[in-house]
Amino acid sequence: MEVTVLQIHKRSSYEFKFIEDKISINTFNRAFALSDGTTQSFNSNIWAEIITKQFVDNPTFNSNELIDNFTFKVSEYNDFEFEVSSNPAIAAVQKEKRAKGGTATFAGLQFKNENSFDFISCGDSNLFILNGQNEFSSFPFNDIDGLDSNNYFLNTEYLFQSKIDETYFFNKTIYLKDDDVIILVTDALSRLILKTPSILKQIIELKTFEQLHNFCLNHWERKVLEEDDISAIIFDLKEQKKINILEPPMGFYFPKEKEEVFIPTINKIIEKENTFNNLEMKEISNQFNGVANDFYQVKRKQKLHEQLLLLAISLIIINVCFSFYSTTVNREEIQLQKSEIVNRQSILKNAGYKINIDGVWGKDSKIEWEKYLLNKTTKKDVK
Amino acid sequence: MHDIRNLTISSTNPCLLVYLIDQSSSMSDKFGNASHSKATEVANAINDIIYDIGLRCISANGEIKNRFEIVIIGYGKKPNSVASGWEGQLAGNWVVSIKNIFDFPLGQENDKPIWIMPYANSNTPMTKAFENAKRLCNEWINWGNHKNCHPPIIINITDGEATDGGANYHDLKQEVQQIKQLRTDYGPINILNIHLSSRSGEKLLFPSNVNSGDEFEKLLFDMSTQLNENMIRIGCDKGYSINQNSKGYVFNGNATDLINFLNIGTPQ
């Protein structure tokens, strides 16, 4: 059986040392454990590490026994020293957070033989089994709503106060076929798989940290994978006995994004509704004078535009009147010409020229008239 | 629109919380059977929720991460005016990151930091408060990568009726309608309203409809948006009967409802 451990921290944690998911393996016991420390609780990564180690060293699938084992470990978590902030507000939060204890999910399994394993979990970590026909089953959550409605976590103070009982745990013995692949994941990956089951195949095929890194970046950027620590353990039954660890190499980190503080520009607008000092009054006065000056200039330009517009309208009116007058005159000219044409054509006809008296002064009429005038002049000259 | 369940509120993808606090004179009335006023109860509740947000934002190394930015808008401290509720070193600021809030508390009460003081002075210019919330949210959404963040959440706490709502509250309705148009890639802005009351009467907790005939009750209900999936989950955990159509609205709420209401309205 080949075991592959995949882990990468969320970008906002920058470095792998701040990852809050913890994985422990005990090859002698054939036991594996995964825990997701909640960001909201105090030093949850330490608590996650304590419980995974405890489980793989002494695996049990009896819920009450496991509760006892974990409760015994609470003191180890509480012994952890921390430095209190000098800022009293932050110190108050630190103390209260510590008083509320560490919180984490838990999932553990142990192979009894090659064909079965026992599984126990508390919280929203989930187990998937992919068979040779690419069909998958999951436990304990089969859908996202079920996963998101889970509200059971292992909290140190709750354990200490005996507020956690066996109802917090999911427990099952799972039987396997030779070509089954088992994938144990924390909530972010689980949510993605439940939404897009075909992603399981892609996760199984991740063989290097670079591939894991690119896979997460791609899905984070597309907003389909929650920006959270990503952890998975993959068990491939048909492969040779081997453990692969895909986690960030030494020196790997996500660049710190520049944290800019939003300052609304409307701050000033709203604030100035109330009081103004002398400097602000002067500035407002200057701005008002500037606006008044601009308004004066605009008014001046507007006056010029008005005059130009009046001139243009006057010219248009004159033009219209002139056009009307000239059209009337032309009509008269045309009427005179018509009577003149008929007169000229009569003269030409009488003088023996071949022409019709039709009142149209065409090309022929014009030529014949010119001939007539020429002849008339010539006759006068001869006389 | 992205699935809000895939969103982690972080210092690079923060969430804006806007609290509108009624500071009108009626807020000086006693809150139920308590010996203190409604204004004091609200100030205590806001101080508590800020403290809780700080608890959620503190990292393993004791640093407060800027996962939330908070606006406190008080209305009615002076006649017809709104003002930022931040005081002391934070006075004059409207939007303050949780990190800066913890750097500058006003003082401490019972070993806990406080930031907000109770006031109960004048009338109820609620429309003006929503108008300012709208302007701040609009600018916040359009700044940097904020379109990629959780949509802002506006929580209005009042005990009375708006005095600047216009005829039939037209102006107030219009402001709220415009706010509802604002959205990030993860959905529209959430508006939650809680009406505090010292009079006896039936409580209305996160209803999906109202039909009591009370005009102001109906108005606050209409102004409120539906609870998102995360709010529904928190509300159910706190024992409220909430469904997919429930709105972020409480009428005649008591002190416990107020605290729970603020918790439901604050993303985890």
Side-chain angles (χ1 to χ4, degrees), chain A residues 69-174:
Chain A
N69 291 348
F70 287 164
T71 306
F72 182 72
K73 286 285 181 180
V74 169
S75 58
E76 193 177 318
Y77 166 82
N78 284 339
D79 287 345
F80 181 79
E81 293 289 328
F82 81 103
E83 199 179 321
V84 182
S85 169
S86 56
N87 175 332
I90 295 176
V93 172
Q94 281 179 319
K95 283 176 193 165
E96 177 153 352
K97 197 161 184 177
R98 178 163 191 170
K100 285 185 175 176
T103 306
T105 70
F106 172 77
L109 62 87
Q110 184 182 30
F111 284 89
K112 291 156 68 175
N113 52 52
E114 290 305 316
N115 298 317
S116 68
F117 67 89
D118 287 324
F119 175 78
I120 189 165
S121 76
C122 170
D124 54 12
S125 295
N126 212 13
L127 184 79
F128 294 88
I129 297 170
L130 188 70
N131 68 20
Q133 287 76 50
N134 281 335
E135 294 162 342
F136 84 95
S137 56
S138 59
F139 182 79
F141 304 108
N142 298 318
D143 55 58
I144 296 174
D145 288 338
L147 184 89
D148 285 340
S149 61
N150 167 75
N151 206 20
Y152 293 122
F153 297 96
L154 290 173
N155 172 267
T156 53
E157 288 306 299
Y158 275 41
L159 278 167
F160 197 66
Q161 295 162 22
S162 302
K163 285 182 179 173
I164 291 175
D165 58 29
E166 67 271 18
T167 60
Y168 275 57
F169 291 88
F170 298 100
N171 209 329
K172 196 176 184 181
T173 298
I174 293 168

Side-chain angles (χ1 to χ4, degrees), chain B:
Chain B
M1 194 171 81
H2 302 310
D3 187 346
I4 205 160
R5 289 183 294 194
N6 289 332
L7 174 68
T8 303
I9 294 172
S10 65
S11 49
T12 47
N13 291 83
C15 175
L16 179 70
L17 298 170
V18 182
Y19 298 101
L20 310 182
I21 302 174
D22 185 347
Q23 295 173 330
S24 62
S25 55
S26 58
M27 290 293 283
S28 61
D29 295 347
K30 292 271 182 290
F31 191 28
N33 296 324
S35 57
H36 55 260
S37 66
K38 285 184 272 189
T40 304
E41 186 70 40
V42 170
N44 290 345
I46 294 288
N47 284 323
D48 282 349
I49 198 73
I50 294 172
Y51 182 76
D52 276 356
I53 293 167
L55 273 172
R56 292 177 208 173
C57 295
I58 193 160
S59 65
N61 60 5
E63 181 194 357
I64 300 271
K65 298 261 191 177
N66 279 338
R67 292 183 186 133
F68 289 89
E69 293 178 352
I70 300 178
V71 177
I72 309 279
I73 298 177
Y75 56 96
K77 188 177 170 186
K78 288 180 186 170
N80 304 316
S81 90
V82 298
S84 169
W86 299 116
E87 296 186 54
Q89 298 279 336
L90 299 176
N93 292 291
W94 287 83
V95 183
V96 186
S97 70
I98 190 71
K99 186 176 187 297
N100 284 344
I101 291 169
F102 269 79
D103 283 340
F104 301 110
L106 270 184
Q108 289 210 322
E109 273 179 13
N110 304 321
D111 292 332
K112 274 176 139 185
I114 57 160
W115 295 269
I116 303 301
M117 298 299 285
Y119 294 101
N121 293 344
S122 187
N123 57 353
T124 316
M126 196 188 292
T127 308
K128 219 169 192 178
F130 271 102
E131 185 197 340
N132 281 341
K134 178 189 74 184
R135 290 152 77 183
L136 287 163
C137 288
N138 185 39
E139 203 178 340
W140 189 88
I141 287 172
N142 290 301
W143 188 88
N145 69 337
H146 288 173
K147 276 222 156 63
N148 234 334
C149 297
H150 192 292
I153 296 167
I154 298 174
I155 297 176
N156 177 37
I157 306 166
T158 182
D159 76 329
E161 300 179 17
T163 50
D164 63 347
N168 293 321
Y169 299 109
H170 173 265
D171 298 348
L172 178 57
K173 285 178 189 169
Q174 199 174 26
E175 285 302 334
V176 172
Q177 200 50 42
Q178 285 170 10
I179 292 173
K180 286 180 180 174
Q181 308 300 317
L182 303 175
R183 58 189 300 127
T184 70
D185 292 342
Y186 285 92
I189 285 186
N190 300 109
I191 302 173
L192 286 76
N193 285 286
I194 182 165
H195 178 269
L196 305 174
S197 180
S198 46
R199 67 186 158 94
S200 58
E202 207 162 302
K203 284 200 286 187
L204 205 53
L205 305 165
F206 307 104
S208 48
N209 57 62
V210 294
N211 45 22
S212 69
D214 184 317
E215 191 190 1
F216 193 65
E217 179 182 319
K218 177 83 169 64
L219 173 72
L220 285 179
F221 173 79
D222 288 341
M223 282 163 57
S224 309
T225 54
Q226 280 186 351
L227 296 173
N228 66 31
E229 289 179 52
N230 292 331
M231 292 170 180
I232 291 170
R233 200 175 62 244
I234 302 166
C236 289
D237 289 346
K238 294 197 177 294
Y240 290 100
S241 171
I242 294 177
N243 60 47
Q244 295 293 325
N245 298 320
S246 294
K247 282 195 168 188
Y249 171 54
V250 168
F251 194 76
N252 271 354
N254 61 24
T256 311
D257 297 325
L258 174 63
I259 289 290
N260 287 337
F261 180 82
L262 292 176
N263 271 300
I264 290 166
T266 309
Q268 299 293 301

Side-chain angles (χ1 to χ4, degrees), chain A residues 149-214:
Chain A
S149 61
N150 167 75
N151 206 20
Y152 293 122
F153 297 96
L154 290 173
N155 172 267
T156 53
E157 288 306 299
Y158 275 41
L159 278 167
F160 197 66
Q161 295 162 22
S162 302
K163 285 182 179 173
I164 291 175
D165 58 29
E166 67 271 18
T167 60
Y168 275 57
F169 291 88
F170 298 100
N171 209 329
K172 196 176 184 181
T173 298
I174 293 168
Y175 296 93
L176 302 164
K177 288 177 188 163
D178 290 344
D179 53 1
D180 283 348
V181 180
I182 307 147
I183 306 110
L184 180 60
V185 295
T186 46
D187 62 320
L189 264 187
S190 182
R191 211 169 276 119
L192 178 65
I193 296 167
L194 288 170
K195 199 170 184 180
T196 320
S198 59
I199 217 89
L200 263 177
K201 198 93 178 129
Q202 285 183 44
I203 295 169
I204 292 166
E205 284 166 2
L206 297 171
K207 297 297 175 199
T208 64
F209 172 73
E210 265 312 301
Q211 289 173 344
L212 170 65
H213 180 208
N214 290 335

